[in-house]
Amino acid sequence: MSTLCSPSASLLRRLDRLGRLMRPTPLVELTFPGVRVFSKLEYLNPVGSVKDRTAYWILRRAVERGEVDERTTIVESSSGNFATALAAYAQLLGLRFIPVIDPNILPANEAFLRRACATVVKVDEPDESGGYLKTRLREVQALCARTDHAYWTNQYANIDGMDAHYRLTAAEVCADMPRLDYAFIGVSSAGTLAGMSRRLKEAFPGVRIIAVDAAGSAIFGCTPRRRHIPGLGAGIVPPLLEHARIDDVVIVPERETARACRELLWEHGLFAGGSSGTSYAAIQQHAPAMRETPGATALFLCNDRGTAYLDTVFDDEWVTRLE
Ligand SMILES: Cc1ncc(COP(=O)(O)O)c(C=O)c1O
């Protein structure tokens, strides 16, 4: 980790320019019986997902504190949207980024990372649980130990990752929505859930926060098992979860996610990825209870685009192979 020094003025200027690219994302209303359902289109962030906010804010705060400067190499264990956002923003800031990935990475994400980063470390040894998370984290520690001025963004425990959604994503919702009764928020690192739930509860004291997770994830105490749709879920309980303010939890099977993704596309015209479908499926499950409140208003995020999921969630044969 870099020693603390005064912030780099040139990195701050670049961050200001980057920040101006991050326009508020639109909020759209779906046609839905008996409940006003709104989706915030996070896939319209510059690099394509809700994790743009996390990457931008974590880098910004680290530069402001003088923990990241021109000499820094960013290191992170991620195969998904966080890695692609970090890769793009590190490149735009002129910083090196080494992503640590594993064989489950989507080919499109690996291609992106290999184009954006001079070094990509791909682990291939499964850990004791049969997954790769612990192997990847061990590799991150080893890389940080042997790299001068390494900075591990540590998305599962970084408070700035939560703050990103408190200050950016949720602040936009508060500015756009006069009323909110339910927010359905998917969980992996729990940064989005923790940050949004805290801000939304301040602005809408009666709002119910529904955490949405994938079946097979360990976050809410279930036995972890193999999951096939990236985005939501984790094999650990993320430290950021303790900061979240949760009223209810919905666990969605992967088949349901696939069904809901298709419904979002073919009935609502939203071409969104797995976690968006998972949250929409949770809304459908909660709809009878929500209809008891006149004018009930609900929100979910379309976290990323459907393109990376064409060979999985949107492929009939792939879906029939799901449990
Ligand atoms: C598509 C998608 N949806 C939802 C999430 C969950 O966000 P968080 O890590 O803030 O819990 C992620 C995290 O990577 C994601 O990639």
PDB file of all heavy atoms in Angstrom, residues 54-92:
ATOM      1  N   THR A  54     -18.933   2.407  -8.184  1.00  0.00           N
ATOM      2  CA  THR A  54     -18.034   1.880  -7.156  1.00  0.00           C
ATOM      3  C   THR A  54     -16.581   2.164  -7.528  1.00  0.00           C
ATOM      4  O   THR A  54     -15.802   2.656  -6.697  1.00  0.00           O
ATOM      5  CB  THR A  54     -18.237   0.352  -7.027  1.00  0.00           C
ATOM      6  OG1 THR A  54     -19.627   0.063  -7.139  1.00  0.00           O
ATOM      7  CG2 THR A  54     -17.682  -0.175  -5.742  1.00  0.00           C
ATOM      8  N   ALA A  55     -16.232   1.846  -8.779  1.00  0.00           N
ATOM      9  CA  ALA A  55     -14.836   2.018  -9.208  1.00  0.00           C
ATOM     10  C   ALA A  55     -14.437   3.491  -9.141  1.00  0.00           C
ATOM     11  O   ALA A  55     -13.380   3.846  -8.602  1.00  0.00           O
ATOM     12  CB  ALA A  55     -14.663   1.473 -10.624  1.00  0.00           C
ATOM     13  N   TYR A  56     -15.297   4.346  -9.669  1.00  0.00           N
ATOM     14  CA  TYR A  56     -14.990   5.777  -9.693  1.00  0.00           C
ATOM     15  C   TYR A  56     -14.808   6.312  -8.273  1.00  0.00           C
ATOM     16  O   TYR A  56     -13.833   7.002  -7.965  1.00  0.00           O
ATOM     17  CB  TYR A  56     -16.114   6.533 -10.408  1.00  0.00           C
ATOM     18  CG  TYR A  56     -16.020   8.027 -10.238  1.00  0.00           C
ATOM     19  CD1 TYR A  56     -15.037   8.761 -10.903  1.00  0.00           C
ATOM     20  CD2 TYR A  56     -16.887   8.710  -9.390  1.00  0.00           C
ATOM     21  CE1 TYR A  56     -14.930  10.133 -10.730  1.00  0.00           C
ATOM     22  CE2 TYR A  56     -16.785  10.079  -9.203  1.00  0.00           C
ATOM     23  CZ  TYR A  56     -15.806  10.780  -9.879  1.00  0.00           C
ATOM     24  OH  TYR A  56     -15.697  12.135  -9.695  1.00  0.00           O
ATOM     25  N   TRP A  57     -15.737   5.978  -7.392  1.00  0.00           N
ATOM     26  CA  TRP A  57     -15.713   6.588  -6.057  1.00  0.00           C
ATOM     27  C   TRP A  57     -14.552   6.043  -5.211  1.00  0.00           C
ATOM     28  O   TRP A  57     -13.897   6.794  -4.492  1.00  0.00           O
ATOM     29  CB  TRP A  57     -17.061   6.371  -5.358  1.00  0.00           C
ATOM     30  CG  TRP A  57     -17.220   7.286  -4.186  1.00  0.00           C
ATOM     31  CD1 TRP A  57     -17.172   6.950  -2.871  1.00  0.00           C
ATOM     32  CD2 TRP A  57     -17.437   8.710  -4.225  1.00  0.00           C
ATOM     33  NE1 TRP A  57     -17.342   8.061  -2.083  1.00  0.00           N
ATOM     34  CE2 TRP A  57     -17.503   9.160  -2.890  1.00  0.00           C
ATOM     35  CE3 TRP A  57     -17.563   9.639  -5.262  1.00  0.00           C
ATOM     36  CZ2 TRP A  57     -17.703  10.500  -2.559  1.00  0.00           C
ATOM     37  CZ3 TRP A  57     -17.763  10.976  -4.932  1.00  0.00           C
ATOM     38  CH2 TRP A  57     -17.829  11.389  -3.598  1.00  0.00           C
ATOM     39  N   ILE A  58     -14.283   4.741  -5.324  1.00  0.00           N
ATOM     40  CA  ILE A  58     -13.153   4.160  -4.568  1.00  0.00           C
ATOM     41  C   ILE A  58     -11.839   4.816  -5.017  1.00  0.00           C
ATOM     42  O   ILE A  58     -11.006   5.214  -4.196  1.00  0.00           O
ATOM     43  CB  ILE A  58     -13.100   2.624  -4.739  1.00  0.00           C
ATOM     44  CG1 ILE A  58     -14.210   1.969  -3.905  1.00  0.00           C
ATOM     45  CG2 ILE A  58     -11.729   2.066  -4.353  1.00  0.00           C
ATOM     46  CD1 ILE A  58     -14.276   0.444  -4.001  1.00  0.00           C
ATOM     47  N   LEU A  59     -11.670   4.973  -6.334  1.00  0.00           N
ATOM     48  CA  LEU A  59     -10.431   5.595  -6.830  1.00  0.00           C
ATOM     49  C   LEU A  59     -10.365   7.062  -6.388  1.00  0.00           C
ATOM     50  O   LEU A  59      -9.327   7.547  -5.930  1.00  0.00           O
ATOM     51  CB  LEU A  59     -10.345   5.495  -8.356  1.00  0.00           C
ATOM     52  CG  LEU A  59     -10.129   4.073  -8.906  1.00  0.00           C
ATOM     53  CD1 LEU A  59     -10.163   4.080 -10.430  1.00  0.00           C
ATOM     54  CD2 LEU A  59      -8.798   3.489  -8.414  1.00  0.00           C
ATOM     55  N   ARG A  60     -11.483   7.743  -6.528  1.00  0.00           N
ATOM     56  CA  ARG A  60     -11.517   9.171  -6.174  1.00  0.00           C
ATOM     57  C   ARG A  60     -11.097   9.390  -4.706  1.00  0.00           C
ATOM     58  O   ARG A  60     -10.248  10.206  -4.397  1.00  0.00           O
ATOM     59  CB  ARG A  60     -12.921   9.714  -6.439  1.00  0.00           C
ATOM     60  CG  ARG A  60     -13.234  10.981  -5.757  1.00  0.00           C
ATOM     61  CD  ARG A  60     -14.092  11.957  -6.519  1.00  0.00           C
ATOM     62  NE  ARG A  60     -13.429  13.226  -6.354  1.00  0.00           N
ATOM     63  CZ  ARG A  60     -13.077  14.057  -7.310  1.00  0.00           C
ATOM     64  NH1 ARG A  60     -13.358  13.788  -8.546  1.00  0.00           N
ATOM     65  NH2 ARG A  60     -12.443  15.157  -7.041  1.00  0.00           N
ATOM     66  N   ARG A  61     -11.711   8.635  -3.798  1.00  0.00           N
ATOM     67  CA  ARG A  61     -11.424   8.820  -2.372  1.00  0.00           C
ATOM     68  C   ARG A  61      -9.971   8.428  -2.055  1.00  0.00           C
ATOM     69  O   ARG A  61      -9.322   9.089  -1.253  1.00  0.00           O
ATOM     70  CB  ARG A  61     -12.414   8.010  -1.512  1.00  0.00           C
ATOM     71  CG  ARG A  61     -13.849   8.485  -1.608  1.00  0.00           C
ATOM     72  CD  ARG A  61     -14.068   9.885  -1.027  1.00  0.00           C
ATOM     73  NE  ARG A  61     -13.823   9.896   0.391  1.00  0.00           N
ATOM     74  CZ  ARG A  61     -12.979  10.730   1.020  1.00  0.00           C
ATOM     75  NH1 ARG A  61     -12.337  11.655   0.329  1.00  0.00           N
ATOM     76  NH2 ARG A  61     -12.785  10.656   2.318  1.00  0.00           N
ATOM     77  N   ALA A  62      -9.500   7.370  -2.702  1.00  0.00           N
ATOM     78  CA  ALA A  62      -8.114   6.945  -2.439  1.00  0.00           C
ATOM     79  C   ALA A  62      -7.132   8.001  -2.929  1.00  0.00           C
ATOM     80  O   ALA A  62      -6.114   8.270  -2.278  1.00  0.00           O
ATOM     81  CB  ALA A  62      -7.844   5.597  -3.099  1.00  0.00           C
ATOM     82  N   VAL A  63      -7.424   8.639  -4.062  1.00  0.00           N
ATOM     83  CA  VAL A  63      -6.554   9.727  -4.552  1.00  0.00           C
ATOM     84  C   VAL A  63      -6.655  10.916  -3.605  1.00  0.00           C
ATOM     85  O   VAL A  63      -5.640  11.508  -3.216  1.00  0.00           O
ATOM     86  CB  VAL A  63      -6.950  10.136  -6.000  1.00  0.00           C
ATOM     87  CG1 VAL A  63      -6.240  11.420  -6.419  1.00  0.00           C
ATOM     88  CG2 VAL A  63      -6.623   9.012  -6.982  1.00  0.00           C
ATOM     89  N   GLU A  64      -7.866  11.258  -3.185  1.00  0.00           N
ATOM     90  CA  GLU A  64      -8.033  12.417  -2.282  1.00  0.00           C
ATOM     91  C   GLU A  64      -7.262  12.238  -0.975  1.00  0.00           C
ATOM     92  O   GLU A  64      -6.753  13.183  -0.409  1.00  0.00           O
ATOM     93  CB  GLU A  64      -9.524  12.647  -1.979  1.00  0.00           C
ATOM     94  CG  GLU A  64     -10.251  13.309  -3.136  1.00  0.00           C
ATOM     95  CD  GLU A  64     -11.771  13.328  -2.962  1.00  0.00           C
ATOM     96  OE1 GLU A  64     -12.288  12.686  -2.022  1.00  0.00           O
ATOM     97  OE2 GLU A  64     -12.444  13.965  -3.782  1.00  0.00           O
ATOM     98  N   ARG A  65      -7.190  10.990  -0.506  1.00  0.00           N
ATOM     99  CA  ARG A  65      -6.467  10.744   0.750  1.00  0.00           C
ATOM    100  C   ARG A  65      -4.957  10.592   0.531  1.00  0.00           C
ATOM    101  O   ARG A  65      -4.215  10.374   1.469  1.00  0.00           O
ATOM    102  CB  ARG A  65      -7.002   9.465   1.420  1.00  0.00           C
ATOM    103  CG  ARG A  65      -8.404   9.621   2.008  1.00  0.00           C
ATOM    104  CD  ARG A  65      -8.745   8.411   2.880  1.00  0.00           C
ATOM    105  NE  ARG A  65      -8.778   7.198   2.090  1.00  0.00           N
ATOM    106  CZ  ARG A  65      -9.883   6.653   1.596  1.00  0.00           C
ATOM    107  NH1 ARG A  65     -11.055   7.198   1.833  1.00  0.00           N
ATOM    108  NH2 ARG A  65      -9.829   5.561   0.886  1.00  0.00           N
ATOM    109  N   GLY A  66      -4.543  10.645  -0.731  1.00  0.00           N
ATOM    110  CA  GLY A  66      -3.114  10.487  -1.019  1.00  0.00           C
ATOM    111  C   GLY A  66      -2.663   9.031  -0.979  1.00  0.00           C
ATOM    112  O   GLY A  66      -1.463   8.753  -0.975  1.00  0.00           O
ATOM    113  N   GLU A  67      -3.618   8.084  -0.979  1.00  0.00           N
ATOM    114  CA  GLU A  67      -3.228   6.659  -0.940  1.00  0.00           C
ATOM    115  C   GLU A  67      -2.926   6.122  -2.333  1.00  0.00           C
ATOM    116  O   GLU A  67      -2.291   5.087  -2.482  1.00  0.00           O
ATOM    117  CB  GLU A  67      -4.352   5.828  -0.311  1.00  0.00           C
ATOM    118  CG  GLU A  67      -4.568   6.128   1.155  1.00  0.00           C
ATOM    119  CD  GLU A  67      -5.848   5.526   1.699  1.00  0.00           C
ATOM    120  OE1 GLU A  67      -6.545   4.786   0.987  1.00  0.00           O
ATOM    121  OE2 GLU A  67      -6.157   5.824   2.862  1.00  0.00           O
ATOM    122  N   VAL A  68      -3.452   6.799  -3.354  1.00  0.00           N
ATOM    123  CA  VAL A  68      -3.174   6.422  -4.744  1.00  0.00           C
ATOM    124  C   VAL A  68      -2.559   7.632  -5.435  1.00  0.00           C
ATOM    125  O   VAL A  68      -3.093   8.744  -5.335  1.00  0.00           O
ATOM    126  CB  VAL A  68      -4.489   5.994  -5.454  1.00  0.00           C
ATOM    127  CG1 VAL A  68      -4.327   6.007  -6.961  1.00  0.00           C
ATOM    128  CG2 VAL A  68      -4.943   4.616  -4.981  1.00  0.00           C
ATOM    129  N   ASP A  69      -1.427   7.409  -6.082  1.00  0.00           N
ATOM    130  CA  ASP A  69      -0.831   8.486  -6.895  1.00  0.00           C
ATOM    131  C   ASP A  69      -0.319   7.879  -8.203  1.00  0.00           C
ATOM    132  O   ASP A  69      -0.620   6.717  -8.500  1.00  0.00           O
ATOM    133  CB  ASP A  69       0.248   9.245  -6.109  1.00  0.00           C
ATOM    134  CG  ASP A  69       1.420   8.343  -5.728  1.00  0.00           C
ATOM    135  OD1 ASP A  69       1.653   7.313  -6.403  1.00  0.00           O
ATOM    136  OD2 ASP A  69       2.115   8.668  -4.742  1.00  0.00           O
ATOM    137  N   GLU A  70       0.449   8.651  -8.955  1.00  0.00           N
ATOM    138  CA  GLU A  70       0.856   8.207 -10.297  1.00  0.00           C
ATOM    139  C   GLU A  70       1.669   6.912 -10.266  1.00  0.00           C
ATOM    140  O   GLU A  70       1.772   6.212 -11.273  1.00  0.00           O
ATOM    141  CB  GLU A  70       1.681   9.294 -11.003  1.00  0.00           C
ATOM    142  CG  GLU A  70       0.877  10.445 -11.583  1.00  0.00           C
ATOM    143  CD  GLU A  70       0.547  11.523 -10.554  1.00  0.00           C
ATOM    144  OE1 GLU A  70       0.870  11.332  -9.356  1.00  0.00           O
ATOM    145  OE2 GLU A  70      -0.053  12.540 -10.941  1.00  0.00           O
ATOM    146  N   ARG A  71       2.271   6.593  -9.112  1.00  0.00           N
ATOM    147  CA  ARG A  71       3.120   5.379  -9.052  1.00  0.00           C
ATOM    148  C   ARG A  71       2.304   4.114  -8.758  1.00  0.00           C
ATOM    149  O   ARG A  71       2.824   3.012  -8.800  1.00  0.00           O
ATOM    150  CB  ARG A  71       4.162   5.534  -7.932  1.00  0.00           C
ATOM    151  CG  ARG A  71       5.114   6.686  -8.126  1.00  0.00           C
ATOM    152  CD  ARG A  71       5.844   6.990  -6.833  1.00  0.00           C
ATOM    153  NE  ARG A  71       4.907   7.368  -5.776  1.00  0.00           N
ATOM    154  CZ  ARG A  71       5.243   7.586  -4.504  1.00  0.00           C
ATOM    155  NH1 ARG A  71       6.481   7.449  -4.109  1.00  0.00           N
ATOM    156  NH2 ARG A  71       4.329   7.936  -3.616  1.00  0.00           N
ATOM    157  N   THR A  72       1.021   4.303  -8.448  1.00  0.00           N
ATOM    158  CA  THR A  72       0.227   3.193  -7.901  1.00  0.00           C
ATOM    159  C   THR A  72      -0.131   2.134  -8.957  1.00  0.00           C
ATOM    160  O   THR A  72      -0.437   2.457 -10.110  1.00  0.00           O
ATOM    161  CB  THR A  72      -1.098   3.747  -7.313  1.00  0.00           C
ATOM    162  OG1 THR A  72      -0.778   4.720  -6.334  1.00  0.00           O
ATOM    163  CG2 THR A  72      -1.948   2.646  -6.723  1.00  0.00           C
ATOM    164  N   THR A  73      -0.093   0.873  -8.513  1.00  0.00           N
ATOM    165  CA  THR A  73      -0.693  -0.218  -9.285  1.00  0.00           C
ATOM    166  C   THR A  73      -1.928  -0.677  -8.516  1.00  0.00           C
ATOM    167  O   THR A  73      -1.838  -1.072  -7.354  1.00  0.00           O
ATOM    168  CB  THR A  73       0.276  -1.408  -9.424  1.00  0.00           C
ATOM    169  OG1 THR A  73       1.421  -0.968 -10.157  1.00  0.00           O
ATOM    170  CG2 THR A  73      -0.384  -2.571 -10.158  1.00  0.00           C
ATOM    171  N   ILE A  74      -3.076  -0.597  -9.168  1.00  0.00           N
ATOM    172  CA  ILE A  74      -4.322  -1.061  -8.554  1.00  0.00           C
ATOM    173  C   ILE A  74      -4.384  -2.580  -8.720  1.00  0.00           C
ATOM    174  O   ILE A  74      -4.074  -3.109  -9.792  1.00  0.00           O
ATOM    175  CB  ILE A  74      -5.553  -0.433  -9.262  1.00  0.00           C
ATOM    176  CG1 ILE A  74      -5.437   1.095  -9.354  1.00  0.00           C
ATOM    177  CG2 ILE A  74      -6.854  -0.878  -8.614  1.00  0.00           C
ATOM    178  CD1 ILE A  74      -5.535   1.825  -8.052  1.00  0.00           C
ATOM    179  N   VAL A  75      -4.809  -3.271  -7.664  1.00  0.00           N
ATOM    180  CA  VAL A  75      -4.946  -4.735  -7.718  1.00  0.00           C
ATOM    181  C   VAL A  75      -6.344  -5.084  -7.221  1.00  0.00           C
ATOM    182  O   VAL A  75      -6.812  -4.522  -6.234  1.00  0.00           O
ATOM    183  CB  VAL A  75      -3.888  -5.413  -6.811  1.00  0.00           C
ATOM    184  CG1 VAL A  75      -4.035  -6.924  -6.826  1.00  0.00           C
ATOM    185  CG2 VAL A  75      -2.473  -5.016  -7.240  1.00  0.00           C
ATOM    186  N   GLU A  76      -7.032  -5.989  -7.918  1.00  0.00           N
ATOM    187  CA  GLU A  76      -8.351  -6.433  -7.427  1.00  0.00           C
ATOM    188  C   GLU A  76      -8.662  -7.831  -7.933  1.00  0.00           C
ATOM    189  O   GLU A  76      -8.261  -8.215  -9.035  1.00  0.00           O
ATOM    190  CB  GLU A  76      -9.451  -5.456  -7.859  1.00  0.00           C
ATOM    191  CG  GLU A  76     -10.858  -5.760  -7.346  1.00  0.00           C
ATOM    192  CD  GLU A  76     -10.990  -5.838  -5.806  1.00  0.00           C
ATOM    193  OE1 GLU A  76     -10.480  -6.824  -5.226  1.00  0.00           O
ATOM    194  OE2 GLU A  76     -11.597  -4.935  -5.211  1.00  0.00           O
ATOM    195  N   SER A  77      -9.372  -8.567  -7.081  1.00  0.00           N
ATOM    196  CA  SER A  77      -9.877  -9.880  -7.471  1.00  0.00           C
ATOM    197  C   SER A  77     -11.296  -9.697  -7.975  1.00  0.00           C
ATOM    198  O   SER A  77     -12.214  -9.471  -7.191  1.00  0.00           O
ATOM    199  CB  SER A  77      -9.861 -10.773  -6.222  1.00  0.00           C
ATOM    200  OG  SER A  77     -10.827 -11.780  -6.341  1.00  0.00           O
ATOM    201  N   SER A  78     -11.481  -9.742  -9.272  1.00  0.00           N
ATOM    202  CA  SER A  78     -12.834  -9.610  -9.844  1.00  0.00           C
ATOM    203  C   SER A  78     -12.804 -10.103 -11.272  1.00  0.00           C
ATOM    204  O   SER A  78     -11.839  -9.869 -11.998  1.00  0.00           O
ATOM    205  CB  SER A  78     -13.288  -8.149  -9.830  1.00  0.00           C
ATOM    206  OG  SER A  78     -14.444  -7.980 -10.635  1.00  0.00           O
ATOM    207  N   SER A  79     -13.871 -10.796 -11.641  1.00  0.00           N
ATOM    208  CA  SER A  79     -13.969 -11.275 -13.023  1.00  0.00           C
ATOM    209  C   SER A  79     -15.090 -10.559 -13.752  1.00  0.00           C
ATOM    210  O   SER A  79     -15.412 -10.884 -14.880  1.00  0.00           O
ATOM    211  CB  SER A  79     -14.295 -12.770 -13.025  1.00  0.00           C
ATOM    212  OG  SER A  79     -13.248 -13.487 -12.462  1.00  0.00           O
ATOM    213  N   GLY A  80     -15.727  -9.612 -13.063  1.00  0.00           N
ATOM    214  CA  GLY A  80     -16.967  -9.082 -13.628  1.00  0.00           C
ATOM    215  C   GLY A  80     -16.931  -7.594 -13.883  1.00  0.00           C
ATOM    216  O   GLY A  80     -15.908  -7.036 -14.294  1.00  0.00           O
ATOM    217  N   ASN A  81     -18.089  -6.983 -13.614  1.00  0.00           N
ATOM    218  CA  ASN A  81     -18.262  -5.572 -13.944  1.00  0.00           C
ATOM    219  C   ASN A  81     -17.308  -4.660 -13.173  1.00  0.00           C
ATOM    220  O   ASN A  81     -16.916  -3.619 -13.679  1.00  0.00           O
ATOM    221  CB  ASN A  81     -19.705  -5.153 -13.648  1.00  0.00           C
ATOM    222  CG  ASN A  81     -20.664  -5.779 -14.637  1.00  0.00           C
ATOM    223  OD1 ASN A  81     -20.395  -5.803 -15.832  1.00  0.00           O
ATOM    224  ND2 ASN A  81     -21.778  -6.303 -14.153  1.00  0.00           N
ATOM    225  N   PHE A  82     -16.954  -5.057 -11.949  1.00  0.00           N
ATOM    226  CA  PHE A  82     -16.056  -4.185 -11.192  1.00  0.00           C
ATOM    227  C   PHE A  82     -14.685  -4.153 -11.862  1.00  0.00           C
ATOM    228  O   PHE A  82     -14.064  -3.094 -11.978  1.00  0.00           O
ATOM    229  CB  PHE A  82     -15.946  -4.658  -9.735  1.00  0.00           C
ATOM    230  CG  PHE A  82     -15.200  -3.690  -8.852  1.00  0.00           C
ATOM    231  CD1 PHE A  82     -15.537  -2.347  -8.837  1.00  0.00           C
ATOM    232  CD2 PHE A  82     -14.158  -4.109  -8.041  1.00  0.00           C
ATOM    233  CE1 PHE A  82     -14.852  -1.433  -8.029  1.00  0.00           C
ATOM    234  CE2 PHE A  82     -13.474  -3.208  -7.232  1.00  0.00           C
ATOM    235  CZ  PHE A  82     -13.813  -1.871  -7.226  1.00  0.00           C
ATOM    236  N   ALA A  83     -14.224  -5.307 -12.324  1.00  0.00           N
ATOM    237  CA  ALA A  83     -12.919  -5.355 -12.989  1.00  0.00           C
ATOM    238  C   ALA A  83     -12.941  -4.526 -14.276  1.00  0.00           C
ATOM    239  O   ALA A  83     -11.993  -3.779 -14.550  1.00  0.00           O
ATOM    240  CB  ALA A  83     -12.527  -6.791 -13.292  1.00  0.00           C
ATOM    241  N   THR A  84     -14.009  -4.636 -15.055  1.00  0.00           N
ATOM    242  CA  THR A  84     -14.014  -3.884 -16.319  1.00  0.00           C
ATOM    243  C   THR A  84     -14.077  -2.377 -16.049  1.00  0.00           C
ATOM    244  O   THR A  84     -13.394  -1.591 -16.715  1.00  0.00           O
ATOM    245  CB  THR A  84     -15.156  -4.333 -17.260  1.00  0.00           C
ATOM    246  OG1 THR A  84     -16.380  -4.327 -16.545  1.00  0.00           O
ATOM    247  CG2 THR A  84     -14.929  -5.711 -17.805  1.00  0.00           C
ATOM    248  N   ALA A  85     -14.868  -1.980 -15.036  1.00  0.00           N
ATOM    249  CA  ALA A  85     -14.932  -0.546 -14.708  1.00  0.00           C
ATOM    250  C   ALA A  85     -13.572  -0.054 -14.209  1.00  0.00           C
ATOM    251  O   ALA A  85     -13.075   0.985 -14.651  1.00  0.00           O
ATOM    252  CB  ALA A  85     -16.013  -0.300 -13.657  1.00  0.00           C
ATOM    253  N   LEU A  86     -12.948  -0.829 -13.312  1.00  0.00           N
ATOM    254  CA  LEU A  86     -11.626  -0.420 -12.805  1.00  0.00           C
ATOM    255  C   LEU A  86     -10.609  -0.350 -13.941  1.00  0.00           C
ATOM    256  O   LEU A  86      -9.779   0.564 -13.984  1.00  0.00           O
ATOM    257  CB  LEU A  86     -11.120  -1.441 -11.787  1.00  0.00           C
ATOM    258  CG  LEU A  86     -11.440  -1.232 -10.322  1.00  0.00           C
ATOM    259  CD1 LEU A  86     -10.806  -2.354  -9.501  1.00  0.00           C
ATOM    260  CD2 LEU A  86     -10.969   0.120  -9.811  1.00  0.00           C
ATOM    261  N   ALA A  87     -10.666  -1.319 -14.848  1.00  0.00           N
ATOM    262  CA  ALA A  87      -9.702  -1.356 -15.959  1.00  0.00           C
ATOM    263  C   ALA A  87      -9.827  -0.074 -16.782  1.00  0.00           C
ATOM    264  O   ALA A  87      -8.831   0.560 -17.141  1.00  0.00           O
ATOM    265  CB  ALA A  87      -9.944  -2.582 -16.829  1.00  0.00           C
ATOM    266  N   ALA A  88     -11.066   0.307 -17.088  1.00  0.00           N
ATOM    267  CA  ALA A  88     -11.260   1.501 -17.910  1.00  0.00           C
ATOM    268  C   ALA A  88     -10.835   2.755 -17.158  1.00  0.00           C
ATOM    269  O   ALA A  88     -10.122   3.613 -17.701  1.00  0.00           O
ATOM    270  CB  ALA A  88     -12.728   1.606 -18.324  1.00  0.00           C
ATOM    271  N   TYR A  89     -11.238   2.873 -15.902  1.00  0.00           N
ATOM    272  CA  TYR A  89     -10.936   4.105 -15.166  1.00  0.00           C
ATOM    273  C   TYR A  89      -9.446   4.199 -14.820  1.00  0.00           C
ATOM    274  O   TYR A  89      -8.874   5.290 -14.839  1.00  0.00           O
ATOM    275  CB  TYR A  89     -11.830   4.228 -13.927  1.00  0.00           C
ATOM    276  CG  TYR A  89     -13.280   4.452 -14.290  1.00  0.00           C
ATOM    277  CD1 TYR A  89     -14.314   4.110 -13.442  1.00  0.00           C
ATOM    278  CD2 TYR A  89     -13.613   5.017 -15.515  1.00  0.00           C
ATOM    279  CE1 TYR A  89     -15.646   4.311 -13.794  1.00  0.00           C
ATOM    280  CE2 TYR A  89     -14.933   5.224 -15.881  1.00  0.00           C
ATOM    281  CZ  TYR A  89     -15.947   4.870 -15.020  1.00  0.00           C
ATOM    282  OH  TYR A  89     -17.244   5.080 -15.387  1.00  0.00           O
ATOM    283  N   ALA A  90      -8.814   3.070 -14.510  1.00  0.00           N
ATOM    284  CA  ALA A  90      -7.372   3.108 -14.243  1.00  0.00           C
ATOM    285  C   ALA A  90      -6.650   3.595 -15.503  1.00  0.00           C
ATOM    286  O   ALA A  90      -5.775   4.469 -15.455  1.00  0.00           O
ATOM    287  CB  ALA A  90      -6.871   1.726 -13.832  1.00  0.00           C
ATOM    288  N   GLN A  91      -7.061   3.050 -16.651  1.00  0.00           N
ATOM    289  CA  GLN A  91      -6.463   3.454 -17.936  1.00  0.00           C
ATOM    290  C   GLN A  91      -6.652   4.961 -18.167  1.00  0.00           C
ATOM    291  O   GLN A  91      -5.729   5.676 -18.530  1.00  0.00           O
ATOM    292  CB  GLN A  91      -7.182   2.651 -19.030  1.00  0.00           C
ATOM    293  CG  GLN A  91      -6.813   2.932 -20.435  1.00  0.00           C
ATOM    294  CD  GLN A  91      -5.564   2.167 -20.810  1.00  0.00           C
ATOM    295  OE1 GLN A  91      -4.522   2.790 -20.937  1.00  0.00           O
ATOM    296  NE2 GLN A  91      -5.667   0.862 -20.990  1.00  0.00           N
ATOM    297  N   LEU A  92      -7.861   5.455 -17.910  1.00  0.00           N
ATOM    298  CA  LEU A  92      -8.140   6.882 -18.120  1.00  0.00           C
ATOM    299  C   LEU A  92      -7.340   7.763 -17.154  1.00  0.00           C
ATOM    300  O   LEU A  92      -7.049   8.918 -17.465  1.00  0.00           O
ATOM    301  CB  LEU A  92      -9.641   7.165 -17.935  1.00  0.00           C
ATOM    302  CG  LEU A  92     -10.522   6.673 -19.091  1.00  0.00           C
ATOM    303  CD1 LEU A  92     -11.965   6.505 -18.652  1.00  0.00           C
ATOM    304  CD2 LEU A  92     -10.446   7.650 -20.262  1.00  0.00           C
TER     305      LEU A  92
END
